[in-house]
């Protein structure tokens, strides 16, 4: 199941889509993503609310520190699970892959 942002529709797999994220950071520095926006290939901006955070972790890939979030979102009548990553160094969010 491969996902990509095509014609306003998300399609599954490893995609690395940059996104705009609204998140909450508590007093201890724990980040909780709330909702995100992305631009589709036809230049429409779509907004998606995060329904559930399944897991959170911190990864280090080739010396790059990232916070990893596995979340569920609702697309119409179906629920999709996706992995989002936040780069601590660049402070950028992206959808890494759809699961």
């Amino acid at each position: 199941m491969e996902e990509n942002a095509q014609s306003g529709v998300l399609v599954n797999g490893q995609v690395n889509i940059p996104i705009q994220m609204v998140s909450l950071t508590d007093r201890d520095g724990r980040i909780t993503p709330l909702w995100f926006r992305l631009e589709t290939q036809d230049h429409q901006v779509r907004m998606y609310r995060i329904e559930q955070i399944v897991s959170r972790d911190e990864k280090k890939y080739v010396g790059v520190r990232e916070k990893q979030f596995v979340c569920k979102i609702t697309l119409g009548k179906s629920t999709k699970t996706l992995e989002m990553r936040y780069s601590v160094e660049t402070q950028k969010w992206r959808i890494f892959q759809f699961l």
Side-chain angles (χ1 to χ4, degrees):
M1 192 185 224
E2 301 239 322
E3 291 241 350
N4 207 345
Q6 284 184 320
S7 305
V9 178
L10 295 175
V11 198
N12 280 334
Q14 187 170 344
V15 291
N16 288 316
I17 302 170
I19 56 175
Q20 297 174 329
M21 176 64 72
V22 171
S23 63
L24 177 68
T25 306
D26 66 17
R27 295 181 299 179
D28 299 326
R30 182 177 167 149
I31 298 172
T32 302
L34 301 175
W35 59 268
F36 65 91
R37 295 187 331 173
L38 62 83
E39 183 178 355
T40 62
Q41 287 182 345
D42 58 350
H43 304 290
Q44 293 182 6
V45 177
R46 304 270 180 172
M47 186 179 96
Y48 300 94
R49 184 172 160 245
I50 296 167
E51 302 294 332
Q52 178 185 4
I53 298 171
V54 177
S55 69
R56 58 179 83 217
D57 198 5
E58 189 161 321
K59 303 284 185 188
K60 196 168 190 176
Y61 298 99
V62 209
V64 177
R65 219 172 96 211
E66 293 185 317
K67 295 191 181 284
Q68 173 193 47
F69 299 87
V70 175
C71 302
K72 291 188 177 187
I73 62 170
T74 301
L75 292 174
K77 294 182 180 181
S78 66
T79 300
K80 294 285 186 184
T81 303
L82 53 96
E83 178 184 339
M84 296 182 297
R85 294 189 181 177
Y86 172 74
S87 171
V88 175
E89 186 177 302
T90 64
Q91 300 179 352
K92 292 183 180 180
W93 284 90
R94 64 192 166 107
I95 296 174
F96 180 70
Q97 67 181 336
F98 288 84
L99 306 170

